[in-house]
């Protein structure tokens, strides 16, 4: 596919528009959009081919676990044990089948999760603005651009105001590139095409309008991506850590198997019996269910997050979420509704409160002028959906200004028809001002808005109904006091000003006349207070880090429960403007900064410093953001959290997680889910390892004592696929215990299994092994059962003991009866299924013959059931002994 306008950078903008048959002021018609979409296809790049089912199936055989089982099968075949060799091969196939089904489902889940994210673009079609999915863009679409937008197609600029773009991902140039409208030579490289914007790059400053000249694979990014084939490593740190854990355990047990084999040969045992014991030990240690359950646990947890509207873009974030100790949050849109409304306007003539019913402007010319400037110096656009609901496009503050003007009878479109806009000076974060230049009835004039201190700085007089009056230092200070009063009530304050211009090119920021100050309110979001309280209970500190006025931030913090001031307590916040560089501060001063709950007037650079400050203190930091200036901080934080609705595309691309509902409570839910995922993984690892340890200890002890084997290799294989996998799967998909969010965060350096967990594994594994060996001895010497029936008693003791052992996986702080394990319906389903399979193993002749089992009778069953309760009792006593005082680091498992 080729670009719709080849070498568009070498042509004048109007010629490009003519070539694409589009008028930039109107855009394409909907009928033309449909035709071009049919001709050019969707605006998307070719993606890496899906991981096919055959590849997923083959990958199930590429592991050390399968290799060990295959060796065991071959050894059995060499010694003429055909049924055992076939059974082990069947186990390999069953294990591969279970892994294939679960991993295929997880892989498809990840693909579906990636499809949940979407990018939009603001376009002009049929003379109106609309927000459309990026893949619906077609050549000829007129796209409106602002700082923070990620480009979704290649564009030829037709308008630009202080426009700069970050093209580093295409050109390697680290500095933003200033854009202009003039064409360049056809043979210049992409880095020098200054009148073009490219798909995948980002607008870092200014505003503009461009015409789409290439989409999909016809873009510059598409041309490059066609040369590259890459795949992503989707293994998480948890999965890699589990793999290393399994390898170490296998190595350890193989060493034990060799020692037991040498001891058996020295004791005069037959070679085949020694090899059978070694195979039994090797099979006993193989954690067949480990990769399966890890995959399911991660996939299940991610889907729970997605249902709560938290889209995790990087799987590594799942592990980090559970360790989050500090949340640095913006104010607007995260803690508040992000639906600004104009509460009041103060002019030289008086203070005016604006209500939902609008205002009468006949007797308030200065108020009318303030509303007019707010509507003209504006990039937003009000609109309504078919159901009548308002659907505005643009900045919430600008939408509030448009809404207030509209309610007063000043509609932006009508104003622009009478006073057309000639040029715009985009909002500059450095000067904190914006201006538009218009042609009026009596000449040219500028409409200006911005931060009060920034606008007052360039004002020389104040506009009144009957004329103007000078603005001296005393008057300027009085206006700033009025601004502080408004901010103290939690309002966001803007100043509006104007001046007559001799020409459209004149400086709009010189000798301005102050018209008034506008106070806007953004109410707290519903549920934020409860979410912040939940963070406090979970040991997670929340810090408001905002560029807004300190008094405004303090009022919002009090409203959402971030601080709890006394009725007459004065406003107290940390003003970032008064701070020297952090490296110049004494350690005790830095410690005090860490305790600050509200930081106001923070710049993007200071946000980076604040993240580093908390990270150096050992905290895992989550940072919320929505603007292009937040992208560095989102990238630096351990967990970058971007707003999905109002956030810029640059912020979403830099983040690890995107909140699709912009709700602060969703962050708390994601942290809880991150903790639950880690807790589930730790629980099923403890369960699998202690079950395998019981098998190793039972076989190893019997072999060293020169006694009969309590359980045979095939029986071990059967149990590892029954009493291991199904209960472990149930543990892996648990909802998490209620204590997870009532305890401090986990240390991020903490391993999955710490020393107390290994003691638990060996202790409970030994208890199960003792029960198995005791049941075997009693079956042989007390009940007088023959060898096959006695082995069946030992087999059933081990199986039932491992089933009851799942109830020892509860949190030590939970109840004996009511806890996260007993409330998990999957646990009960797994137990019922395993019990049915055990009955089948004993009473189905074909399966019983393969496994060398024989019904042990009522006495044998009674002995097996009674013996299997011994390790359950040991586990409950262990948990009672390990109960920790409230407030200690949460364990995520029975003995941490």
């Amino acid at each position: 596919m080729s670009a719709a306008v080849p070498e568009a950078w070498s042509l004048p903008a109007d010629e490009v528009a003519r070539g694409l048959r589009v008028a930039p002021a109107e855009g394409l018609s909907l009928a033309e959009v449909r035709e071009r979409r049919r001709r050019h296809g969707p605006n998307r790049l070719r993606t890496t081919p899906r991981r096919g089912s055959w590849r997923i199936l083959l990958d199930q055989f590429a592991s050390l676990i399968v290799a060990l089982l295959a060796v065991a099968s071959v050894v059995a075949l060499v010694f003429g044990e055909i049924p055992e060799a076939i059974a082990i091969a069947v186990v390999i196939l069953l294990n591969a089948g279970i892994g294939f089904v679960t991993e295929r489902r997880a892989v498809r889940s990840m693909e579906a999760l990636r499809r949940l994210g979407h990018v939009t673009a603001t376009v002009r079609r049929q003379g109106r603005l609309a927000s459309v999915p990026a893949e619906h863009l077609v050549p000829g679409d007129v796209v409106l651009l602002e700082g923070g937008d990620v480009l979704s197609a290649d564009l030829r600029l037709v308008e630009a105001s202080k426009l700069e773009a970050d093209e580093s991902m295409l050109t390697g140039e680290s500095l933003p590139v200033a854009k202009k409208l003039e064409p360049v030579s056809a043979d210049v490289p992409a880095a020098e095409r200054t009148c073009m914007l490219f798909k995948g790059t980002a607008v870092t400053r200014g505003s503009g309008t461009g015409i789409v000249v290439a989409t999909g694979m016809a873009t510059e990014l598409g041309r490059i991506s066609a040369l590259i084939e890459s795949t992503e490593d989707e293994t998480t740190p948890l999965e890699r850590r589990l793999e290393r854990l399994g390898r170490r355990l296998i190595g350890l047990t193989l060493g034990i198997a060799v020692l037991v084999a040498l001891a058996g040969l020295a004791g005069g045992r037959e070679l085949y019996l020694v090899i059978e014991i070694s195979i039994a030990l090797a099979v006993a240690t193989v954690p067949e269910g480990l990769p399966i359950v890890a995959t399911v646990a991660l996939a299940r947890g991610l889907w729970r997050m997605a249902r709560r509207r938290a889209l995790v873009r990087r799987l590594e974030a799942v592990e980090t979420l559970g360790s989050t100790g500090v949340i640095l949050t913006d104010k607007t849109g995260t803690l508040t509704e992000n639906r600004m409304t104009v509460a009041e306007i103060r002019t030289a003539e008086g203070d005016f409160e604006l209500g939902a019913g609008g205002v009468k402007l006949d007797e308030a010319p200065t108020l009318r002028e303030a509303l007019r400037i707010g509507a003209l110096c504006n990039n937003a656009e009000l609109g309504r959906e078919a159901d009548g609901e308002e659907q505005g496009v643009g900045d919430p503050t600008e939408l509030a200004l448009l809404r207030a003007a509209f309610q007063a009878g000043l509609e932006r479109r009508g104003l622009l028809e009478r006073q057309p806009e000639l040029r715009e000076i985009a909002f500059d974060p450095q000067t904190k001002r914006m201006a538009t230049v218009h042609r009026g009835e009596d000449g040219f004039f500028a409409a200006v808005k911005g931060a009060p201190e920034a606008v007052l700085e360039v004002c020389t007089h104040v506009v009144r109904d009957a004329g103007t009056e000078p603005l001296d230092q005393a008057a300027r200070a009085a206006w700033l006091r009025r601004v502080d009063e408004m901010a103290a009530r939690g309002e966001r304050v803007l100043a509006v000003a104007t001046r007559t211009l001799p020409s459209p090119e004149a400086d709009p920021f010189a000798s301005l006349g102050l018209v008034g100050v506008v106070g806007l309110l953004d109410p707290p979001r519903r549920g934020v207070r409860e979410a912040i309280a939940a963070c406090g209970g979970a040991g997670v500190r929340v810090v408001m880090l905002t560029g807004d006025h300190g008094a405004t931030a303090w009022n919002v913090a009090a409203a959402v429960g971030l601080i709890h001031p006394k009725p007459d307590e004065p406003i107290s916040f940390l003003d970032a403007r008064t701070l020297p560089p952090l490296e110049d501060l004494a350690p005790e001063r830095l410690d005090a900064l860490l305790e600050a709950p509200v930081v106001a007037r923070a710049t993007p650079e200071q946000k980076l410093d604040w993240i580093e400050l908390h990270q150096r203190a050992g905290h895992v930091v989550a940072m919320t953001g929505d603007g292009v200036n937040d992208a560095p901080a989102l990238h630096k934080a351990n967990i970058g959290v971007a707003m999905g609705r109002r956030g810029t595309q640059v912020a979403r691309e830099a983040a690890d997680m995107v909140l699709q509902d912009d709700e602060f409570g969703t962050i708390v839910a994601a942290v809880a889910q991150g903790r639950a995922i880690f807790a589930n993984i730790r629980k099923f690892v403890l369960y699998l390892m202690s079950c395998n340890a019981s098998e190793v200890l039972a076989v190893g002890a019997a072999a060293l004592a020169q006694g009969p084997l309590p359980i045979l290799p095939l029986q071990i294989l059967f149990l590892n696929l029954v009493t291991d996998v199904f209960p472990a799967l149930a543990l892996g998909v648990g909802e998490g215990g209620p204590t997870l969010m009532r305890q401090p965060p986990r240390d991020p350096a903490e391993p999955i299994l710490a020393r107390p967990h290994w003691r638990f594994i060996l202790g409970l594994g030994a208890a199960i092994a003792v029960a198995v060996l005791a049941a075997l001895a009693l079956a042989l010497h007390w009940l007088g059962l023959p060898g096959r029936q006695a082995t069946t008693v030992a087999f059933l003791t081990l199986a039932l003991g491992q089933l009851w052992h799942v109830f020892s996986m509860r949190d030590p702080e939970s109840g004996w009866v009511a806890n996260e394990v007993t409330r998990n319906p999957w646990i009960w389903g797994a137990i019922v299924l395993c019990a049915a399979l055990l009955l089948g193993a004993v009473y189905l002749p074909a399966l019983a013959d393969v496994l060398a089992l024989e019904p042990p009778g009522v006495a044998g069953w009674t002995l097996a059931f009674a013996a299997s309760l011994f390790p359950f009792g040991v586990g409950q006593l262990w948990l009672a002994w390990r109960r920790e005082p409230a407030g200690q680091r949460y364990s995520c498992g029975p003995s941490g």
Side-chain angles (χ1 to χ4, degrees):
M1 181 187 296
S2 61
V5 182
E7 301 178 350
W9 56 91
S10 66
L11 303 173
D14 55 354
E15 188 174 334
V16 172
R18 284 196 300 273
L20 287 166
R21 304 192 310 280
V22 62
E26 291 295 321
L28 298 173
S29 68
L30 297 182
E32 185 64 22
V33 167
R34 286 191 293 269
E35 169 59 25
R36 296 189 185 194
R37 190 180 303 151
R38 183 193 63 77
R39 191 189 325 152
H40 294 276
N43 175 35
R44 57 173 176 246
L45 302 178
R46 285 195 297 268
T47 56
T48 302
R50 292 200 329 162
R51 191 176 170 206
S53 298
W54 282 107
R55 175 63 183 274
I56 296 173
L57 179 60
L58 291 176
D59 285 347
Q60 305 307 311
F61 298 94
S63 71
L64 182 60
I65 290 174
V66 173
L68 282 172
L69 292 176
V71 169
S73 179
V74 171
V75 170
L77 186 63
V78 169
F79 280 86
E81 296 293 330
I82 304 300
E84 188 165 307
I86 294 174
I88 294 177
V90 169
V91 166
I92 293 174
L93 294 176
L94 283 174
N95 186 59
I98 295 173
F100 168 76
V101 171
T102 55
E103 187 171 350
R104 183 179 183 277
R105 185 173 180 180
V107 167
R108 298 296 176 255
S109 297
M110 295 305 102
E111 292 170 351
L113 280 175
R114 281 194 289 268
R115 290 193 294 269
L116 289 178
H118 65 278
V119 177
T120 61
T122 301
V123 300
R124 183 180 291 127
R125 290 175 177 171
Q126 296 187 160
R128 300 189 66 83
L129 294 183
S131 181
V132 301
E135 67 175 30
H136 291 177
L137 289 178
V138 298
D141 259 328
V142 178
V143 181
L144 278 69
L145 308 162
E146 289 185 353
D149 288 347
V150 170
L151 281 305
S152 306
D154 285 2
L155 309 178
R156 173 60 166 94
L157 287 171
V158 296
E159 295 177 10
S161 176
K162 292 187 178 180
L163 191 65
E164 294 182 358
D166 177 6
E167 297 180 348
S168 57
M169 59 88 62
L170 270 182
T171 66
E173 174 61 50
S174 58
L175 295 176
V177 179
K179 295 296 180 178
K180 57 185 181 181
L181 303 181
E182 292 75 18
V184 295
S185 175
D187 57 358
V188 300
E192 299 178 18
R193 299 170 191 170
T194 52
C195 60
M196 293 285 295
L197 290 170
F198 300 103
K199 181 180 178 70
T201 63
V203 177
T204 57
R205 184 186 180 195
S207 60
T209 304
I211 299 177
V212 175
V213 295
T215 57
M217 295 303 293
T219 61
E220 189 70 16
L221 181 61
R223 184 186 67 80
I224 295 173
S225 68
L227 305 176
I228 302 172
E229 289 186 1
S230 62
T231 57
E232 294 183 1
D233 179 13
E234 293 190 349
T235 60
T236 67
L238 271 175
E239 291 175 311
R240 292 191 288 271
R241 208 180 291 177
L242 287 172
E243 184 179 352
R244 288 195 298 271
L245 180 66
R247 289 177 181 274
R248 289 171 184 167
L249 190 68
I250 288 171
L252 175 65
T253 308
L254 285 178
I256 295 174
V258 171
L259 291 176
V260 170
L262 292 175
L265 290 174
R269 290 200 180 222
E270 297 181 1
L271 177 61
Y272 173 71
L273 186 57
V274 169
I275 292 176
E276 185 179 37
I277 292 172
S278 300
I279 292 174
L281 285 169
V283 170
T285 191
V286 174
E288 289 93 345
L290 204 56
I292 298 171
V293 182
T295 301
V296 172
L298 282 171
R300 180 81 173 176
L302 288 175
W303 270 112
R304 283 191 185 128
M305 289 185 188
R307 287 205 305 269
R308 283 299 307 265
R309 310 295 290 169
L311 175 61
V312 177
R313 300 185 63 253
R314 296 178 178 89
L315 293 181
E316 290 84 352
V318 175
E319 182 175 3
T320 313
L321 273 169
S323 304
T324 300
V326 175
I327 299 176
L328 302 179
T329 177
D330 193 9
K331 175 181 67 68
T332 305
T334 306
L335 302 181
T336 62
E337 288 284 356
N338 194 33
R339 182 177 172 83
M340 303 296 291
T341 58
V342 176
E344 62 174 322
I345 296 179
R346 295 191 174 190
T347 71
E349 303 298 331
D351 303 339
F352 301 90
E353 293 186 3
L354 276 68
V359 293
K360 296 181 179 180
L361 304 181
D362 297 342
E363 299 178 0
T366 310
L367 175 60
R368 180 186 184 90
E369 180 69 359
L371 291 169
R372 184 178 71 99
I373 293 171
L376 290 175
C377 187
N378 206 304
N379 278 320
E381 182 169 316
L382 286 177
R384 295 195 178 275
E385 296 290 316
D387 58 4
E389 183 179 351
E390 181 186 295
Q391 186 68 28
V393 178
D395 179 79
T397 300
E398 294 191 331
L399 286 171
L401 293 172
L402 289 182
R403 201 177 296 115
F406 181 80
Q407 290 172 350
L410 301 175
E411 198 264 335
R412 174 177 163 81
R413 186 183 292 269
L415 290 174
L416 289 176
E417 288 176 357
R418 296 188 298 273
Q419 301 164 336
E421 182 180 313
L422 302 179
R423 70 184 180 107
E424 175 190 315
I425 296 84
F427 179 81
D428 188 333
Q430 302 299 320
T431 63
K432 298 183 179 179
R433 295 187 292 263
M434 172 189 174
T436 53
V437 176
H438 301 264
R439 177 185 289 110
E441 296 177 359
D442 301 324
F444 308 105
F445 70 93
V448 177
K449 76 172 189 292
E453 63 272 20
V455 174
L456 280 166
E457 182 182 25
V458 291
C459 285
T460 58
H461 56 282
V462 178
V463 176
R464 300 189 67 99
D465 290 351
T468 64
E469 64 182 24
L471 182 68
D472 55 20
Q473 289 299 328
R476 186 175 283 108
W479 276 100
L480 288 175
R481 284 194 297 273
R482 298 177 79 180
V483 168
D484 289 340
E485 291 172 5
M486 297 167 72
R489 294 198 295 272
E491 296 177 14
R492 181 178 183 182
V493 187
L494 293 175
V496 290
T498 187
R499 74 167 287 210
T500 301
L501 299 176
S503 70
E505 291 75 26
D507 182 5
F509 297 122
S511 302
L512 286 171
L514 178 68
V515 178
V517 289
V518 182
L520 303 101
L521 278 176
D522 184 9
R525 277 185 176 274
R526 186 174 55 186
V528 168
R529 175 178 282 272
E530 293 77 9
I532 289 177
C535 285
V540 180
R541 288 193 63 241
V542 180
V543 178
M544 182 193 293
L545 194 62
T546 177
D548 212 338
H549 195 286
T552 303
W554 190 88
N555 276 279
V556 172
V560 300
L562 186 57
I563 58 175
H564 302 281
K566 297 176 182 177
D568 298 327
E569 182 178 340
I571 293 175
S572 175
F573 58 89
L574 185 61
D575 192 329
R577 295 175 301 178
T578 64
L579 291 177
L582 294 184
E583 58 267 19
D584 296 340
L585 294 176
E588 59 273 14
R589 179 68 169 134
L590 290 175
D591 292 340
L593 294 182
L594 286 171
E595 300 301 319
V598 179
V599 183
R601 294 303 198 192
T603 65
E605 292 76 18
Q606 286 173 320
K607 290 182 179 181
L608 292 175
D609 291 339
W610 231 259
I611 292 171
E612 184 174 352
L613 181 66
H614 283 278
Q615 288 175 333
R616 280 190 301 186
H619 301 302
V620 173
V621 179
M623 174 77 195
T624 72
D626 60 351
V628 63
N629 289 334
D630 292 324
L634 292 172
H635 182 72
K636 183 177 179 62
N638 301 97
I639 294 288
V641 182
M643 302 299 111
R645 287 184 176 177
R646 66 181 176 88
T648 60
Q649 295 166 22
V650 170
R652 291 198 293 267
E653 289 297 319
D656 303 289
M657 185 171 72
V658 177
L659 304 184
Q660 295 184 304
D661 56 6
D662 289 6
E663 294 280 355
F664 184 83
T666 303
I667 304 176
V668 182
V671 170
Q673 194 57 53
R675 290 186 177 189
I677 289 174
F678 187 89
N680 288 343
I681 289 177
R682 172 171 280 173
K683 284 175 181 177
F684 76 66
V685 169
L686 279 168
Y687 178 76
L688 287 174
M689 293 302 182
S690 49
C691 287
N692 285 16
S694 69
E695 296 162 359
V696 171
L697 292 173
V699 172
L704 290 174
Q706 302 294 314
L709 289 182
I711 187 166
L712 303 178
L714 284 183
Q715 296 169 356
I716 293 174
L717 284 172
F718 180 82
L719 290 181
N720 283 358
L721 286 175
V722 175
T723 56
D724 276 13
V725 170
F726 294 116
L729 280 172
L731 287 172
V733 299
E735 297 284 348
T739 63
L740 285 179
M741 290 300 286
R742 295 203 298 264
Q743 300 182 30
R746 174 179 58 87
D747 185 344
E750 180 182 326
I752 294 177
L753 298 181
R755 187 172 298 174
H757 300 115
W758 286 108
R759 288 198 293 266
F760 177 84
I761 289 171
L762 292 176
L764 270 294
I768 297 174
V770 167
V772 171
L773 294 174
L776 177 64
L778 290 173
L780 287 171
H781 304 297
W782 181 47
L783 296 181
L785 298 178
R788 192 160 174 170
Q789 282 187 314
T791 302
T792 302
V793 170
F795 167 83
L796 292 173
T797 301
L798 179 59
L800 294 173
Q802 291 180 347
L803 282 183
W804 311 148
H805 180 52
V806 76
F807 294 106
S808 297
M809 295 298 109
R810 64 177 175 86
D811 192 293
E813 301 303 312
S814 62
W816 288 64
V817 177
N819 53 66
E820 71 274 18
V821 176
T822 58
R823 285 192 294 265
N824 184 348
W826 298 99
I827 292 290
W828 297 104
I831 289 176
V832 170
L833 176 60
C834 290
L837 291 172
L838 286 175
L839 289 173
V842 175
Y843 291 104
L844 291 177
L847 184 56
D849 287 343
V850 171
L851 295 176
L853 296 174
E854 185 175 325
V858 174
W861 272 103
T862 303
L863 174 59
F865 184 82
S868 70
L869 293 176
F870 169 72
F872 170 75
V874 171
Q876 298 307 306
L877 291 174
W878 188 296
L879 291 173
W881 174 62
R882 289 297 303 173
R883 183 180 293 271
E884 297 174 340
Q888 288 192 7
R889 173 173 52 83
Y890 73 84
S891 62
C892 291
S895 60

